[in-house]
Amino acid sequence: MHSQSAPGPRRYVAGLPEPGRTLVMGVLNVTPDSFSDGGQWVDPVLAVKHGRELVLEGADLVDVGGESTRPGATRPTAQEEMDRVLPVISGLAAHGVLVSVDTMRAEVAEAALQAGATLVNDVSGGRADPAMFDVVAAARAPYVLMHWRAHSHRMQEHTAYADVVADVAAELAQQLDRAIEAGIARERIALDPGIGFSKTADQNWQVLGGLEQLASLGQPVLVAASRKRFLGTLLANEKGEPRPPVQRDDATTATTALAAVSGAWCVRSHSVRGSADAVRVAARWSQDSVSRR
């Protein structure tokens, strides 16, 4: 059984804002094939406009991704990925937006940082590209290291765990050690348990219930549950048909509030306003809870 004790002081990532609450990362997919909003923001002008709107809705940073990681997705070339993300990153950075690049490729990360990105969000946690740690270390950039076992077209073949929370924590710890050995400063690393990646719906719920165990690794934790399939499965209709992605925002807001109360450093959200409200409610709720002890 996982501890139900209150989380300790919230940890932050060096070089990023520390607002005294959980951060909100707005999702900006500039791909034609993302699971919930594919094709909406492939035009860089529209993408930059939408990214700025996410900030107005309460996003602390905007996560720009040029490769879909939905189950079964095929990979673009590195050049295609850069052609998608770099104009958007430079456009947002020019407006003072704090930008994260969502990529597994070291060359894309390097180009994105040069274009104005501040943070590298690597869903493979350094496993997809052995050069990633060196690029991040050289740039002294903040880095999100996610739990990952395989690329999207094969990841659901890798869902065997003895204890999903303990195993995810152990695999994250292993990659964390490698990242630090490669020269990335510990205080610049956040961990992401990889909700929806190489995990069944039930395993995703177990991981969310075990966030405090993951926090025991000593790093800030990012929770990225927005609109994901396990929420659609939970909210399926009487015929067993999952709720469509764009109708999962209320459930996303609920997971945001619970993650924030559990001490998450940051949540990733497609529809920012609800999550931005939820983290503020959670912070205020926790403030009174702590004062009564």
Side-chain angles (χ1 to χ4, degrees):
M1 181 180 290
H2 303 307
S3 169
Q4 297 301 309
S5 60
R10 192 177 311 282
R11 298 181 181 92
Y12 289 99
V13 175
L16 296 175
E18 300 183 12
R21 57 164 171 77
T22 299
L23 295 173
V24 177
M25 176 185 283
V27 179
L28 181 51
N29 291 316
V30 290
T31 59
D33 58 345
S34 290
F35 75 97
S36 73
D37 55 1
Q40 279 190 270
W41 316 115
V42 292
D43 181 328
V45 174
L46 292 178
V48 170
K49 182 174 183 289
H50 182 59
R52 296 180 71 192
E53 289 169 351
L54 292 175
V55 173
L56 291 174
E57 290 177 5
D60 297 291
L61 60 162
V62 174
D63 193 40
V64 179
E67 175 180 355
S68 175
T69 51
R70 64 180 172 78
T74 55
R75 303 197 73 190
T77 66
Q79 189 60 53
E80 286 172 333
E81 189 180 349
M82 285 192 281
D83 289 345
R84 292 171 181 176
V85 302
L86 296 182
V88 180
I89 290 169
S90 59
L92 288 171
H95 288 289
V97 176
L98 197 62
V99 180
S100 165
V101 60
D102 178 358
T103 186
M104 292 181 273
R105 289 185 168 110
E107 62 183 302
V108 177
E110 187 170 32
L113 291 167
Q114 291 171 354
T118 298
L119 168 71
V120 176
N121 180 17
D122 177 5
V123 300
S124 82
R127 291 181 184 269
D129 187 338
M132 179 64 86
F133 288 163
D134 290 339
V135 165
V136 174
R140 301 185 66 198
Y143 180 64
V144 175
L145 187 161
M146 198 189 83
H147 176 262
W148 185 88
R149 286 182 161 185
H151 284 290
S152 297
H153 67 289
R154 295 194 58 198
M155 65 183 179
Q156 293 312 109
E157 300 170 17
H158 299 270
T159 59
Y161 300 88
D163 176 321
V164 67
V165 178
D167 290 355
V168 166
E171 290 170 30
L172 282 171
Q174 181 182 59
Q175 283 303 102
L176 174 63
D177 287 345
R178 290 174 177 166
I180 293 168
E181 287 168 9
I184 304 176
R186 178 184 285 274
E187 63 268 20
R188 293 187 180 274
I189 302 173
L191 301 178
D192 177 347
I195 300 299
F197 289 79
S198 295
K199 296 169 188 71
T200 65
D202 285 345
Q203 287 168 345
N204 288 321
W205 289 114
Q206 291 169 44
V207 170
L208 288 172
L211 285 181
E212 290 175 19
Q213 189 172 339
L214 296 173
S216 70
L217 294 174
Q219 300 302 121
V221 174
L222 169 71
V223 175
S226 182
R227 294 183 179 175
K228 287 188 175 174
R229 182 179 297 182
F230 77 111
L231 295 175
T233 300
L234 176 72
L235 304 172
N237 63 22
E238 64 277 2
K239 297 178 182 178
E241 299 165 339
R243 186 174 293 182
V246 294
Q247 295 178 23
R248 301 171 191 168
D249 286 341
D250 290 342
T252 297
T253 301
T255 62
T256 289
L258 292 167
V261 170
S262 296
W265 157 69
C266 185
V267 293
R268 190 172 178 274
S269 180
H270 294 80
S271 181
V272 163
R273 192 180 302 280
S275 288
D277 289 352
V279 298
R280 287 162 174 80
V281 170
R284 187 63 183 86
W285 185 298
S286 298
Q287 180 183 324
D288 266 17
S289 173
V290 168
S291 68
R292 288 197 204 98
R293 291 196 189 102

